[in-house]
Amino acid sequence: MALLELERVSKRYGDFYANREISFSVDAGRLFGILGPNGAGKTTLLRIITRILLPDEGIILLDGKPLSQDHQRSIGYVPEERGLYKNLTVLDNLRYFGQLKGLSSADATRRAYWWLERMDAKGWEKKKVRELSKGMSQKVQFIASALHEPPLLVLDEPFSGLDPLNVEVFLAVIRELQSKGTTVLLSTHVMEQVEQLCDDIVLINRGHIVVSGNLRQIKAQYGVRTLELEFTGDGRFLEQLEGVTIKELRNGFASIELDGGIEHAQQIIAIALQHTTLRRAECIEPSLREIFIETVRRTQSEVMTS
Amino acid sequence: MTAAWIITRHEFLSRVRTKGFIISTLLAPLGLLVLLALPVILTEFASVHGVHRIAVVDQSPHNIAAKLVAWDTTLFFMSAQPQSQLRDLVLADSLTGYLVIPHDGLERDSVVLFTRGGGGLGLHESVQEAVREVFRRERLLARGADTSLLNIIEQKTKIARVKITHDRTERDQTAALTLFGYGMSVLVYVLLFIYGGIVMRSVLEEKTNRIVEILASSARPFDIMLGKVVGVGAVGLFQVLLWIVLGVIVSIGIGSLLLSFSGTTNPAEALAYYRAHENDAATFILQMPSLSVGHFVAFVFFFITGYVFYSALFAGIAAAADTEQDIQTLQAPVSIFIVLPMLTVPMIMAAPDATVAVALSLIPMFTPVLMLIRLFATEVPLWQVVLSIILMLGSIFGAVWIAGRIYRIGILRYGQRPSLRQLLRWVAEG
């Protein structure tokens, strides 16, 4: 069931469209990634979803109802840049933001302590935010967004500037929240994390959606592009084949690019069996990075030529 | 609880709990106390104990020294010591200075005062006044004026003094109240800048630290702005109320202090005592009119309305800015309207009922300062008070509306500082 639905949502600044006719839906309990290069309109889109900005056109439904001011209490938001009061303590920050999301002061305090312990940040509550390192304040920011246990968590570039250890802490917490039913919407341009985390994605460029859907399906749709072979024998037979680009060919290893997808790969494997003793053959799907770069380049040049 | 209320409460509590607030609240009246009490106490001590002593060396044939000593026995004394010895005494600080009257001093109208320098204007004035008066009398006598003429001159002076004093008691209240009004309007002026500045810096801090994005994901921009303005304003109001309470306590304290100094419990007797001792500061304080509750209500009301009007505009300005420098540029067209009425204050104080004064005090931007001072300085007709309040409240709604529209767009805009034209478009498009 869709928790969040966007229908032809547009946001304009003068003549410039930050978002143009964006439509997608996010199923409850899923991890949904919004991808795109810098300046694609990701942050504007997240601000519209969190109702910081109002769209010029289009409809947004949360839980089947048009997005309203009251819905802000069902959403937790971590902006790209940290937003905490530097002169206040961690606890004062968390308590204030928790209360703004509708918690009582006592509840906010109790949950703040629980979360600080959960995020390996026990004992920070009396520290002023200015004393915290970047990673530490990022944790506090995350806690501030999750304190009121919102059904929808919106994270704008949540991993930027984090060391690998902290990335692991964040990934674990996000997965844990998801397993409890929280729907997570995150924007990023770090493709590896999307591949690890996300169920569904939209890829936006210049305010438009260029690719959207289930991550597995998208990759399947882009098909098998690369075939890797390990063998004993002479690999030069590959050079005679049609519809094949050899990326690498050395003693006992070949990496080739195919035009014809998985069936084509089967044929080549069959031929390879006749010429060599095949030890390993692997059909490799394109990485999200490749899809991303290719799509962005293609849409860029389409815009250029049109 | 609504978001606006949560923000208001947070703004109020997080500021009132700071050391800065406690210190400034306590120090301001303490400063006032020192300012008022110190001259009184010092003058009292100075005149009673007579710290200054001046030796008079008379080389003239007219025996002026004796007349000078007779004029002020605590300050002057005759000396036959040689000047070199007096010089050593002055350098050793056992003598304030010595006054040499040359043998032709009366004819050439000049004397020489030797001191270590300094000593203050008070000392200089006392010596000058004594020398002038004594010399004038001597000159008149030398030209053959008889004592009856001298008496006439002195009588005249005395009669004039009485008149002035009598006249003063008639007008005293107005003059003092006008001065109070001036003090109050300066206080409002300072508070508008202090608390407007707090709102401005705090909005800018929230914008540059991206806190406002978190706030905007939890509340309407208008509620955020309103909560900020009301919360910070509540801090200012709280401080002003504390000052009024402290001020009442302090003035009661000073009053009883002055009474105990004079050794009576009757204010009229105390006043006579300080008049006799020529303690002007104490006399002034004892003659101060007491302020009515209405005066305080007017002060608080015009502080609040002026604050809301200007701080809302300041909030809008800060939201449109990116840096302190942007703020400096953008605030000028607003701040000028706080400064302008201060320039007309002398005129308003001189003629608070003039048409110009009435007109200026009805202009909403000027009302907080100018109507306040007029309410102290004169009897303002009721229709003018009511009209100024209506215009003020209307302008507040306008200012908050305009600022709210600029704020909503400004808080999420970074980069180039918007021009005035762009700001107007933000207001129009909102």
Side-chain angles (χ1 to χ4, degrees), chain A residues 91 95 99 103-113 147, chain B residues 9:
Chain A
L91 188 61
R95 196 156 35 196
Q99 283 178 282
L103 294 178
S104 71
S105 176
D107 273 353
T109 309
R110 193 172 44 76
R111 291 184 192 194
Y113 275 104
L147 214 55
Chain B
R9 204 185 49 180

Side-chain angles (χ1 to χ4, degrees), chain A residues 288-298:
Chain A
L288 198 53
R289 175 188 292 277
E290 285 168 313
I291 296 176
F292 177 85
I293 292 172
E294 189 193 313
T295 319
V296 168
R297 282 215 181 110
R298 198 181 63 226

Side-chain angles (χ1 to χ4, degrees), chain B residues 384-405:
Chain B
Q384 290 178 11
V385 179
V386 173
L387 182 60
S388 78
I389 289 174
I390 291 170
L391 289 174
M392 195 66 218
L393 293 180
S395 308
I396 285 176
F397 275 108
V400 170
W401 184 79
I402 289 171
R405 301 197 133 207

